[in-house]
Amino acid sequence: MRGEIGRRTVLAGLTAVGAGQVLGQSLPSDPDVVVIGAGAAGMSAARTLLHQGLTCVVVEAASRIGGRTWTESTTFGQPVDHGASWISGATANPFARMAREGGFTLVDHSDAGTDLFEFDGSRASAAEEEAYWRAWAAMERAMARAGRSGEDVAASTVAPKVPWSATVQSWMGAMDYGVDLDQISTADYWDSASDQPSYFVREGLGAVVATLAKNLPIVLDIPVQTVNWSGKGVEVGTPRGTIRARACLVTVSTGVLNAGAIRFIPELPAWKQQAAADIPMGLLTKVPLLFDGARLGLGENNWVTYRVPEDKPGEACFFIAWPTGHDYVFGNIGGRFGWELARAGQAATVNYALEQLVRLVGSDARKHFIKGFATDWALNPLTHGAYGAVRPGSTDARENLAAPLADKLFFAGEATSTSVPALVNGAYLTGHHTAKRMAKILK
Ligand SMILES: Cc1cc2nc3c(=O)[nH]c(=O)nc-3n(C[C@H](O)[C@H](O)[C@H](O)COP(=O)(O)OP(=O)(O)OC[C@H]3O[C@@H](n4cnc5c(N)ncnc54)[C@H](O)[C@@H]3O)c2cc1C
């Protein structure tokens, strides 16, 4: 297949018709590999493939790179991360190194303070604050016990019934995992690496991830519609034509896979489809609210948390105040409640978040409020949610999703990471390791 005329024609066509902006170096006329998706996994894979002496083209459906990482400064005139913002487990996180080398400003968020409120908006007393932290410790002990003994059950079944439990469950479930506690697998939770220390990037984590694109052959605005892996090599179908290559690396979210947005020919085997189905997308909607410089009594970088009724875990919007000194707070809404609000729309979501803040800090919040928005990961057809969460009892799903087919159809991305699932560094590492594996086969 190498050097075949048809392939050259299509790739030349992609560049010539301006279908898709071409970033970085010019496109190779006969790529060894087509990488689908220019998120952290796709770009890291492409870098490694090139480093290994292979040629590739990265095909991205959106009109920007970065996927679920995106720093945008237009709306507020200050950088806002619509997607990932924490560099978690920073000691071993490659983005901490990249940020330092790139001259970005890292802000340690590991020991940030907490502004804790009762449900009625009054400040929690010192005794209640102690109870809140005891609830965290009890929850972590329960999860560790289940994990250590190899139990793979819904986290809600081991959650201790103590005061502030629903509040802790809201952070741990809806706002961290993107799903409610009954949808978290204790085994998957236990397998995840520690998320401490954690850093914010003042200029935005999305901006750090975007540096990966340098000199990569990426085409934008081209959605892959089909991947034919039936013959020799692969044929990747797009509205602009077919790209032929020796192998293909798929890095799209399980939301995109489960929606059937890419047709595989032949169909993916049942066990592979099951793996994607067993890692459905969770949702975290961020609701950044811009203020006029007033700080509303909330500490910079603080976690802003309020007591949630015990029968309503997840039904809340908790905030991070003035991250790295910016003039906005961002609300976090996730899990089932997040999906519900996303369906209600942008305005309803922003109103809800602002109302919660007003309950906590008073009507001053309305006086000083300038504008806000809600991120749209729920309805975005290129993600269908925020990140995947393994269903309780489906321990092997991530490994099965990562397994290659016929030595030419490969999978990477956050959902395939067994050690750092759901996170951008996990996505990056799966791209890198899968590309190395591909190089061994293709070279
Ligand atoms: C709100 C939110 C907050 C988060 N917070 C954090 C955090 O603080 N820290 C952290 O580490 N992680 C966080 N994450 C998770 C992190 O952003 C993701 O795990 C990571 O970015 C996923 O990278 P990926 O390369 O696997 O997938 P993606 O970034 O989704 O890349 C896949 C790419 O494929 C493209 N694509 C989809 N369909 C097609 C198609 N048919 N053809 C071509 N291209 C296609 C998409 O547009 C996308 O660019 C957060 C995510 C969200 C949404």
Side-chain angles (χ1 to χ4, degrees), residues 318-339:
F318 296 162
F319 300 88
I320 307 294
W322 330 119
T324 76
H326 294 308
D327 292 329
Y328 59 86
V329 302
F330 71 85
N332 298 272
I333 302 176
R336 292 186 185 92
F337 186 57
W339 290 104

Side-chain angles (χ1 to χ4, degrees), residues 36-41 59-62 66-69 82-86 222-224 251-252 256 262 284 377 382 386-387 413-414 422-425 427:
I36 305 177
V59 182
E60 167 59 53
R68 284 169 274 170
T69 61
H82 287 231
S85 47
W86 279 278
I222 298 191
V224 169
T251 72
V252 300
V256 171
I262 300 175
L284 172 64
W377 303 107
L382 301 181
Y387 30 81
E414 56 87 10
L423 298 183
V424 65
N425 45 319

Side-chain angles (χ1 to χ4, degrees), residues 223-354:
V224 169
Q225 296 169 315
T226 55
V227 176
N228 187 331
W229 55 294
S230 63
K232 202 170 167 231
V234 291
E235 293 184 357
V236 175
T238 80
R240 301 287 173 166
T242 303
I243 310 169
R244 296 186 181 83
R246 296 167 67 201
C248 174
L249 173 61
V250 181
T251 72
V252 300
S253 72
T254 53
V256 171
L257 286 176
N258 291 332
I262 300 175
R263 191 159 67 90
F264 291 89
I265 309 163
E267 266 189 11
L268 296 177
W271 59 266
K272 176 70 81 179
Q273 292 188 39
Q274 190 60 51
D278 284 337
I279 316 175
M281 294 299 276
L283 179 64
L284 172 64
T285 299
K286 284 180 165 182
V287 194
L289 306 174
L290 180 67
F291 292 86
D292 60 5
R295 287 300 188 242
L296 307 173
L298 303 172
E300 195 166 296
N301 293 316
N302 274 12
W303 306 89
V304 181
T305 305
Y306 53 85
R307 194 197 281 261
V308 173
E310 287 307 316
D311 59 339
K312 291 188 175 159
E315 278 195 34
C317 175
F318 296 162
F319 300 88
I320 307 294
W322 330 119
T324 76
H326 294 308
D327 292 329
Y328 59 86
V329 302
F330 71 85
N332 298 272
I333 302 176
R336 292 186 185 92
F337 186 57
W339 290 104
E340 205 180 293
L341 269 185
R343 282 189 288 271
Q346 273 271 338
T349 308
V350 171
N351 276 342
Y352 176 80
L354 186 58

